[in-house]
Amino acid sequence: MSLVRWDPLEDLSNLREQMNRFFDQTFRRGFFAGTEPFGPRIDLYQTDQEVVAVAEIPGVQSKDDVEVALTNNTLILRGEFKRVHDVSEENILHSERFFGSFSRNIPLPAEIKPDESTASYKNGLLEIRMPKTEKGRRNIRRIPIQ
């Protein structure tokens, strides 16, 4: 029988790796789905005439990997982040990027005209411009600051 020297630092790094893998698989990938939305980060603002959404989608390889759908009061984004390189799971040493499908429903602050809306994709940013209906335009009332 031989003795094996115990190295606490080696055990800690192994434990850290196992904990990171556990949290990545459990928490980041949807176990607590309501905590942080998976998918593009979105800025949403409005002017007198339109509602504008700007979404960060730098991991999307092509505009064909994203679908934009609109109702009178909801923006729906669906898409997929794909791996650029085909790498097997056992060869991955560290990964912070998520790969997979996403879907987000964003309520809009005013009624819009889906048929007249436009979307453009450039440099990893998706911009969606949605003209407001007359009813939606009346929802904005500017209040003077005293």
Side-chain angles (χ1 to χ4, degrees):
M1 180 163 141
S2 63
L3 294 174
V4 177
R5 181 183 168 135
W6 177 60
D7 183 0
L9 295 179
E10 182 179 21
D11 285 350
L12 283 177
S13 66
N14 187 25
L15 178 63
R16 181 178 296 126
E17 179 183 327
Q18 289 176 2
M19 292 299 289
N20 283 340
R21 195 173 302 136
F22 170 77
F23 280 106
D24 283 346
Q25 292 172 355
T26 305
F27 297 102
R28 286 190 188 169
R29 301 219 173 137
F31 187 78
F32 293 108
T35 56
E36 182 177 330
F38 170 70
R41 293 180 175 154
I42 298 171
D43 288 341
L44 186 69
Y45 64 92
Q46 66 180 335
T47 66
D48 290 339
Q49 301 297 316
E50 64 185 354
V51 177
V52 180
V54 180
E56 293 178 343
I57 54 171
V60 173
Q61 300 302 312
S62 165
K63 64 182 179 180
D64 296 330
D65 293 333
V66 178
E67 177 187 345
V68 178
L70 293 168
T71 67
N72 290 347
N73 58 5
T74 305
L75 167 63
I76 303 160
L77 287 180
R78 292 186 192 106
E80 183 175 5
F81 294 116
K82 298 178 181 176
R83 281 195 193 276
V84 177
H85 305 288
D86 194 18
V87 180
S88 64
E89 287 292 324
E90 63 266 5
N91 291 333
I92 295 175
L93 302 174
H94 181 81
S95 179
E96 293 182 357
R97 298 173 56 214
F98 181 83
F99 300 96
S101 298
F102 64 86
S103 179
R104 298 220 30 213
N105 292 352
I106 298 97
L108 299 174
E111 190 175 303
I112 55 111
K113 301 175 187 175
D115 295 340
E116 296 178 22
S117 299
T118 61
S120 61
Y121 177 64
K122 185 177 178 183
N123 297 330
L125 293 177
L126 174 66
E127 182 181 78
I128 303 138
R129 294 190 165 273
M130 302 160 277
K132 292 181 180 179
T133 62
E134 283 299 319
K135 182 179 174 183
R137 286 187 203 143
R138 285 186 242 138
N139 288 339
I140 295 181
R141 181 172 170 226
R142 300 212 184 265
I143 308 295
I145 300 173
Q146 306 273 336

